[in-house]
Amino acid sequence: MDYVTRTLDGLRRSSPGQGEFYQAVEEVLEVLAPVLDADRRYQDEAVVERLLEPERQIFFRIAWLDDQGRVRVNKGYRVQFSSTLGPYKGGLRFHPSVNAGIIKFLGFEQIFKNALTGLPLGGAKGGSDFDPKGCSQGEIMRFCQAFMTELHRHIGATIDVPAGDIGVGQREIGYLYGQYRRLNGRFEGVLTGKAAGWGGSLGRREATGYGCVYFAENMLAERGDTLAGKRCLVSGAGNVALYTLEKLTQLGARPISCSDSSGTLIHRAGLDVALLKDIKERRRLPLRDYLDCHTDATFIPVADYTAGRSPVWHEPAELAFPCATQNELTGVDAEALVANGVVGVCEGANMPSTREAVSCFLRAGIDYGPGKAANAGGVAVSQLEMQQNAAMARWPAEKVDQTLRAIMRDIHRRASATAEEFGAPGNLVLGANVAGFRRVADAMIEQGVF
Ligand code: NDP
Ligand code: 2IT
């Protein structure tokens, strides 16, 4: 049995019930085989075995009071995967689906994504099974305070710097930061995604979505093509989706679909992004409210989905941007996209395409930008926020945006050049994983066994 198969078999036995973690590892290891064979040091020094085991996992209880005065209890997680390249870095997710396997898959992906940025960043992820839906502002604040009451002893500006993810935006980062400051009495860059008035970086809110579109621009440019006039399908209607939609519109593309947990919105004339931001970001309303202003749009509620499948991928279009959550784009969806003439898929979310979907894209030979390359703009601008905090400085928005553009171009170049080097031109799954792996693996060897 070969090394990769043996390692995956061992992982399946040692991580029962952690399907998403296994899936994320499988994607990385399958493309690493030629690198592991070419350089024996990686096997001799057990680099893969070490990377699969987080340096530290913190599981904790969060008890808080709801508006009725009842005590509520949730599970909290921070998985500190790798600090080889810098302080642990990665978001916090608040969603009822969160469990140890989900946090481990996200943390594992984060190691390679962060390495690929070329910046000094380790990899981590955290969160809770807390469901913010239907909670009052006061409940969210008390939950965040209770979460940080435990987390604060494990993080710090040069130790571990959390940020947002699903269910954690600027409001939650504010409550988390306030509690950290209350407990530690230090004004330091311990979280990123802060409001711009008190330590946040301009452009962090936009960074993941804008970065994803810059990545798509780079993929298209390789074929001498541009975004102008392209019809785009986007899933989600949260932070990443909204700023993907905004940048697509700015660059002359025409986004025609998006979605949230209540259903899918299709507007073939082109989505009204300012209205979507007002509904979803400012007023926190369901997507259906869009129809009040645009009667020519269609909203399909989740209850009407055929075979539980979102119609978001089933419109004819040239580009697709999955920006909601893991495994939201299946093999069937991928076949439909390809049959409808899609030329590129660029992932704003983490691992949104199933293994079958990824195989379909690679077989079809379309441009495919995997999340760990295409959505790295968020964590990259988080690192720019850390730089600004460390220097007590504040960069203008233009400088952040220019730096983000340059970082996304470099990530694309690095992934593309690595794919060429291994005889698989255009295969950015191979390119991104191998380039990220080599940076962190070489540093692990240089720093000795621990
Ligand atoms: P948000 O919470 O802001 O938005 C998530 C969006 O996806 C919401 O519209 C939500 O619906 C929808 N959604 C979430 N889960 C589901 C589900 N199970 N079924 C259907 N719809 C769902 O999160 P972000 O935009 O920050 O994150 C989206 C993705 O991008 C995640 O995969 C995240 O890991 C990834 N990512 C985020 C980064 C960031 O900087 N924030 C950086 C890199 C990647 P509703 O509005 O109804 O809640
Ligand atoms: O998945 C991700 O890269 C994030 N949620 C952002 C991480 C960060 O530290 O900004």
Side-chain angles (χ1 to χ4, degrees):
M1 203 192 288
D2 67 274
Y3 175 70
V4 166
T5 313
R6 218 169 44 242
T7 309
L8 284 171
D9 276 359
L11 183 72
R12 200 191 281 279
R13 276 195 302 277
S14 66
S15 309
Q18 300 190 340
E20 290 85 359
F21 177 48
Y22 183 86
Q23 182 185 340
V25 174
E26 190 179 41
E27 177 187 300
V28 175
L29 292 199
E30 276 180 7
V31 296
L32 284 188
V35 188
L36 299 172
D37 286 341
D39 190 337
R40 283 298 304 183
R41 290 176 314 152
Y42 297 137
Q43 288 184 53
D44 293 346
E45 302 230 11
V47 169
V48 171
E49 290 86 338
R50 283 193 272 158
L51 279 170
L52 292 181
E53 203 57 59
E55 288 175 15
R56 192 173 299 101
Q57 304 190 61
I58 302 144
F59 296 168
F60 52 101
R61 181 188 73 197
I62 305 140
W64 56 284
L65 284 179
D66 69 15
D67 286 346
Q68 281 69 49
R70 276 182 319 197
V71 179
R72 305 273 288 268
V73 180
N74 285 99
K75 295 179 196 303
Y77 304 86
R78 185 71 180 166
V79 177
Q80 298 176 329
F81 244 104
S82 168
S83 57
T84 302
L85 296 176
Y88 301 109
K89 185 82 192 91
L92 298 173
R93 176 177 291 191
F94 293 170
H95 192 272
S97 62
V98 163
N99 57 40
I102 299 267
I103 298 297
K104 280 176 72 181
F105 117 63
L106 290 163
F108 184 73
E109 291 265 301
Q110 200 81 45
I111 306 173
F112 305 100
K113 182 196 305 190
N114 294 1
L116 200 53
T117 65
L119 298 164
L121 293 167
K125 202 81 186 189
S128 173
D129 60 357
F130 170 68
D131 186 359
K133 282 228 162 52
C135 283
S136 70
Q137 183 118 324
E139 288 177 325
I140 288 179
M141 182 183 73
R142 288 194 296 282
F143 176 80
C144 289
Q145 291 174 337
F147 186 88
M148 187 53 81
T149 299
E150 173 56 31
L151 187 68
H152 83 102
R153 63 188 97 248
H154 308 291
I155 62 177
T158 57
I159 301 168
D160 182 355
V161 183
D165 194 81
I166 292 177
V168 179
Q170 195 169 293
R171 172 181 63 174
E172 290 72 23
I173 293 292
Y175 295 145
L176 292 163
Y177 188 78
Q179 182 72 351
Y180 180 86
R181 206 166 51 73
R182 173 151 84 181
L183 294 168
N184 280 50
R186 278 200 294 271
F187 200 100
E188 59 173 22
V190 68
L191 291 162
T192 58
K194 304 184 287 299
W198 45 269
S201 174
L202 294 170
R204 173 61 187 90
R205 186 203 296 261
E206 295 84 356
T208 312
Y210 281 18
C212 184
V213 177
Y214 294 151
F215 193 88
E217 235 186 348
N218 285 304
M219 287 200 309
L220 289 169
E222 200 116 296
R223 296 182 189 243
D225 202 354
T226 69
L227 287 165
K230 296 267 186 310
R231 289 168 300 174
C232 303
L233 310 176
V234 178
S235 63
N239 173 264
V240 178
L242 289 174
Y243 289 96
T244 296
L245 291 164
E246 183 168 273
K247 185 51 75 180
L248 284 171
T249 308
Q250 285 172 6
L251 297 180
R254 178 156 54 102
I256 57 174
S257 70
C258 68
S259 61
D260 69 4
S261 54
S262 69
T264 297
L265 180 69
I266 315 256
H267 194 180
R268 295 192 183 105
L271 287 166
D272 176 346
V273 180
L275 176 66
L276 278 173
K277 281 173 70 180
D278 186 52
I279 292 173
K280 290 299 298 185
E281 191 178 57
R282 199 175 69 81
R283 294 194 283 148
R284 299 176 189 273
L285 296 171
L287 214 41
R288 178 188 280 282
D289 285 43
Y290 185 90
L291 300 188
D292 295 346
C293 297
H294 290 285
T295 47
D296 57 332
T298 314
F299 180 77
I300 304 109
V302 170
D304 293 353
Y305 286 3
T306 312
R309 198 170 296 127
S310 167
V312 76
W313 309 122
H314 296 256
E315 284 290 306
E318 288 74 39
L319 295 172
F321 294 84
C323 296
T325 194
Q326 65 276 355
N327 290 331
E328 54 163 315
L329 198 166
T330 65
V332 175
D333 299 325
E335 301 282 355
L337 283 169
V338 171
N340 276 331
V342 90
V343 296
V345 176
C346 200
E347 296 182 338
N350 286 306
M351 207 170 74
S353 308
T354 62
R355 300 280 297 157
E356 294 74 31
V358 176
S359 304
C360 170
F361 298 146
L362 295 177
R363 248 191 344 263
I366 62 164
D367 280 333
Y368 169 61
K372 59 170 74 76
N375 73 35
V379 75
V381 173
S382 277
Q383 205 282 339
L384 305 184
E385 184 169 327
M386 290 163 72
Q387 287 188 40
Q388 291 169 72
N389 291 165
M392 292 279 184
R394 191 169 154 75
W395 293 9
E398 300 71 43
K399 177 171 174 179
V400 176
D401 192 53
Q402 275 164 18
T403 313
L404 170 64
R405 263 183 193 265
I407 291 171
M408 296 314 295
R409 200 185 48 232
D410 287 350
I411 291 174
H412 179 264
R413 272 202 201 129
R414 221 168 267 145
S416 187
T418 309
E420 291 259 10
E421 181 189 337
F422 283 86
N427 183 341
L428 300 179
V429 179
L430 185 146
N433 282 307
V434 170
F437 172 80
R438 280 205 297 207
R439 180 164 177 239
V440 69
D442 291 348
M444 285 170 76
I445 292 170
E446 283 157 17
Q447 290 177 29
V449 175
F450 80 100

